[in-house]
Amino acid sequence: ILLAQAEGYAAAASRPVKPGADVEFVLGAGGSAAGRTVDSATNEPIGGVRIALFDTDVIGHGVETVSGPDGSFRFDALRAA
């Protein structure tokens, strides 16, 4: 399996390929996901939380970010489900 990634685009993966095969990747702009981390008791924001998002179609492929001081986080250029 081959994986193509470029800044600002959703990643694209190939099906298994044989040596010498030509592969074409079509990269799209992708979508985004955003949210906020908060304390369950006080509802106060929690900054510095590591959030990981994994692609279930590509083993070992994922992205991560850290929530800001206000608890906010965002993932961009996500592949459509």
Side-chain angles (χ1 to χ4, degrees), residues 1-6 9-17 23-27 55 57-63 77 79:
I1 296 176
L2 300 173
L3 180 67
Q5 294 176 286
Y9 291 90
S14 73
R15 300 277 184 222
V17 296
V23 178
E24 180 177 295
F25 289 100
V26 178
L27 302 179
D55 186 336
D57 291 337
V58 182
I59 296 171
H61 179 253
V63 292
R79 191 168 63 91

Side-chain angles (χ1 to χ4, degrees), residues 40-53:
S40 64
T42 65
N43 208 35
E44 291 295 315
I46 305 172
V49 177
R50 190 180 112 196
I51 300 122
L53 179 66

